[in-house]
Amino acid sequence: MERHEEYKDSHIPWVGEVPAHWEVRKLKTLVSRKSETGKPDGTVLSLYRDYGVIPKDSRSDNHNRTSENTDSYRVVGIDDLVVNKMKAWQGSLAVSQYDGIVSPAYFVYRLTSSKIFPRYLHYATRNASYIPEYKRLSGGIRPDQWDLSPDGFSQILYLVPPYEEQVRISEYLDRILDEIDALIEATVKSIELLEEYRRSVISEAVTKGLDPNAPMKDSGIEWVGEIPVHWAVEALGLRSTMLTPMRDKPEDLDGPIPWVRIEDYDGKHLSCSKAGYGVSQETIDEMNLKVYPVGTVLCTSSCDLGKAAIIAEPLVSNQRFIGIIPGKDLTSDFLYYLMLSNSERLNTLSTGTIQANLSRKSFEHLKLPFPSIEEQTQISRFLDQQTSAIDELITSRKEIVSLLSDYRRSLISEAVTGKIKVPGVK
């Protein structure tokens, strides 16, 4: 990409040199904060890091509740700059293309300078190289409660090219980013299809077996349907023992025996804490903590139900799990795949209005199909091969999404800091 003919020092540490004909302006010379309220019937807007400002009801993944009384919601107009004061340090700010209202937790700014093109300001404020500065200007007890300082925010320096050049930069980014976003969306969709296929392969194998010609019978389990005639149907508690963890969290987590959380799940086997958490034998004895033996299938019993992993090293966990220890007629590998295939069912059995929970008794009474040990081993080996191949495809596609996302961020940064001269700029 072509560069500009002459550059100068911007005196902005995270930006460096910029085109010599560009201005450097404080945000407060471009916008002013507005606090207009009193339009409770306005369209409620949400601010996404990935999508910017959009109507809240346009997406199904926004679980933030709208207040019953929206009289105090701030009014947003087209071309207003909207900032989530608690998540600005994560890049949650954008110029709106919609009229509407937002939560009082947002800052809203009106453009006051004729020198700034709204769409350019949108990209300039979302430049990833500014994130550390937003973080520096945010403070609080813990990150999820950090608030951006409005005074500090107003003092931030931004680059202001000639107006026509801003328009060209914005049009270029709109066009190229639309193409990148389409590629990302298509790749993410292919990942979702692969994950769905993975689940179907597992479900088919652990409920129908590997012999397509095997005679079948009704399992008596509504969500399973028919199973091979020689398979048994029993409650999980008859083929295993359950180990439930203590509710109390150890104060000292510097010991050698891993103490794991849901965040530590990463594949079929689980052997360590990603955060390095662990407990000592002394803590285990004092608190009577339950240690899961190798071969235990550790399943989530709260919040994110349906996850499972085989314990590869003795460890302990927080209270959001249940350890299922296979008996003599059940292998750890088959049980692992069997529990994965029942993730949807586990969620329907859960209780709790705020977060899903599943009791030990529910796990023990769960009716499941069981083939012989020999057939369990064959099915597990088959699924190891099949899921490994699918996982490789998923990993490669996730890498593509990551590369495209990185390129997207770098393109915005290079365009709004003048490191590249976009087509159409003289």
Side-chain angles (χ1 to χ4, degrees), residues 209-332:
L210 303 180
D211 182 2
N213 299 314
M216 308 294 280
K217 67 177 180 182
D218 183 9
S219 67
I221 308 172
E222 182 181 352
W223 65 92
V224 171
E226 291 189 331
I227 60 173
V229 293
H230 59 286
W231 286 25
V233 174
E234 294 180 3
L236 179 57
L238 296 177
R239 295 237 176 180
S240 64
T241 55
M242 308 283 172
L243 199 60
T244 53
M246 302 295 290
R247 297 183 63 86
D248 295 333
K249 178 181 177 180
E251 292 184 4
D252 183 2
L253 291 172
D254 293 325
I257 301 171
W259 183 82
V260 300
R261 305 168 298 162
I262 290 177
E263 294 88 342
D264 297 316
Y265 274 92
D266 189 17
K268 184 178 179 180
H269 296 94
L270 184 59
S271 61
C272 64
S273 162
K274 293 179 181 178
Y277 294 144
V279 296
S280 64
Q281 186 61 51
E282 182 180 2
T283 298
I284 290 173
D285 295 338
E286 288 178 353
M287 298 184 65
N288 193 29
L289 299 177
K290 303 295 191 297
V291 180
Y292 303 112
V294 173
T296 300
V297 175
L298 192 63
C299 297
T300 48
S301 61
S302 178
C303 295
D304 194 3
L305 292 171
K307 287 190 174 183
I310 300 173
I311 300 301
E313 295 288 343
L315 50 77
V316 295
S317 74
N318 65 18
Q319 75 274 17
R320 300 192 187 280
F321 301 90
I322 187 166
I324 307 175
I325 305 172
K328 62 182 179 63
D329 295 324
L330 181 59
T331 69
S332 297

Side-chain angles (χ1 to χ4, degrees), residues 143-188:
D144 61 351
Q145 291 183 338
W146 280 356
D147 271 9
L148 176 68
S149 162
D151 292 335
F153 183 54
S154 69
Q155 297 293 325
I156 294 179
L157 296 173
Y158 289 96
L159 305 175
V160 182
Y163 193 90
E164 188 59 32
E165 192 168 344
Q166 294 178 46
V167 174
R168 294 288 171 265
I169 291 170
S170 303
E171 290 174 343
Y172 170 77
L173 288 175
D174 282 345
R175 184 176 72 257
I176 300 301
L177 296 185
D178 278 349
E179 295 174 3
I180 295 173
D181 290 344
L183 287 173
I184 291 175
E185 184 179 354
T187 308
V188 169

Side-chain angles (χ1 to χ4, degrees), residues 2-278:
E2 187 180 355
R3 285 173 58 83
H4 292 271
E5 294 180 0
E6 187 179 353
Y7 285 80
K8 66 181 179 182
D9 186 359
S10 68
H11 300 292
I12 305 174
W14 56 91
V15 172
E17 290 190 334
V18 297
H21 63 288
W22 286 23
E23 292 184 45
V24 179
R25 302 279 296 271
K26 289 183 178 180
L27 182 67
K28 68 178 183 179
T29 67
L30 305 172
V31 301
S32 64
R33 190 173 167 191
K34 55 184 282 191
S35 301
E36 183 184 352
T37 59
K39 291 188 177 181
D41 296 327
T43 300
V44 178
L45 305 175
S46 283
L47 176 54
Y48 283 79
R49 278 169 288 177
D50 293 333
Y51 310 111
V53 179
I54 58 175
K56 183 176 183 291
D57 61 6
S58 66
R59 293 188 62 84
S60 60
D61 57 354
N62 188 328
H63 304 298
N64 294 326
R65 293 182 61 185
T66 300
S67 174
E68 292 183 7
N69 185 346
T70 55
D71 286 341
S72 63
Y73 274 42
R74 302 190 191 282
V75 175
V76 175
I78 293 173
D79 294 339
D80 282 350
L81 173 63
V82 181
V83 182
N84 184 329
K85 64 179 181 179
M86 292 188 292
K87 293 183 179 180
W89 62 277
Q90 296 177 337
S92 191
L93 66 172
V95 171
S96 178
Q97 294 181 300
Y98 298 91
D99 290 318
I101 56 176
V102 293
S103 161
Y106 292 78
F107 294 148
V108 181
Y109 295 85
R110 178 186 293 108
L111 275 64
T112 56
S113 173
S114 60
K115 289 191 172 185
I116 195 74
F117 181 58
R119 192 64 176 165
Y120 171 81
L121 183 64
H122 170 80
Y123 287 121
T125 54
R126 290 166 67 82
N127 178 357
S129 65
Y130 275 76
I131 296 295
E133 182 67 1
Y134 299 151
K135 187 172 184 179
R136 186 184 71 81
L137 294 171
S138 301
I141 298 174
R142 58 178 190 265
D144 61 351
Q145 291 183 338
W146 280 356
D147 271 9
L148 176 68
S149 162
D151 292 335
F153 183 54
S154 69
Q155 297 293 325
I156 294 179
L157 296 173
Y158 289 96
L159 305 175
V160 182
Y163 193 90
E164 188 59 32
E165 192 168 344
Q166 294 178 46
V167 174
R168 294 288 171 265
I169 291 170
S170 303
E171 290 174 343
Y172 170 77
L173 288 175
D174 282 345
R175 184 176 72 257
I176 300 301
L177 296 185
D178 278 349
E179 295 174 3
I180 295 173
D181 290 344
L183 287 173
I184 291 175
E185 184 179 354
T187 308
V188 169
K189 180 62 177 177
S190 72
I191 292 171
E192 293 171 351
L193 291 173
L194 283 169
E195 290 173 338
E196 184 178 334
Y197 175 61
R198 187 184 195 275
R199 289 190 292 270
S200 69
V201 169
I202 293 172
S203 179
E204 182 74 12
V206 299
T207 60
K208 311 302 179 190
L210 303 180
D211 182 2
N213 299 314
M216 308 294 280
K217 67 177 180 182
D218 183 9
S219 67
I221 308 172
E222 182 181 352
W223 65 92
V224 171
E226 291 189 331
I227 60 173
V229 293
H230 59 286
W231 286 25
V233 174
E234 294 180 3
L236 179 57
L238 296 177
R239 295 237 176 180
S240 64
T241 55
M242 308 283 172
L243 199 60
T244 53
M246 302 295 290
R247 297 183 63 86
D248 295 333
K249 178 181 177 180
E251 292 184 4
D252 183 2
L253 291 172
D254 293 325
I257 301 171
W259 183 82
V260 300
R261 305 168 298 162
I262 290 177
E263 294 88 342
D264 297 316
Y265 274 92
D266 189 17
K268 184 178 179 180
H269 296 94
L270 184 59
S271 61
C272 64
S273 162
K274 293 179 181 178
Y277 294 144

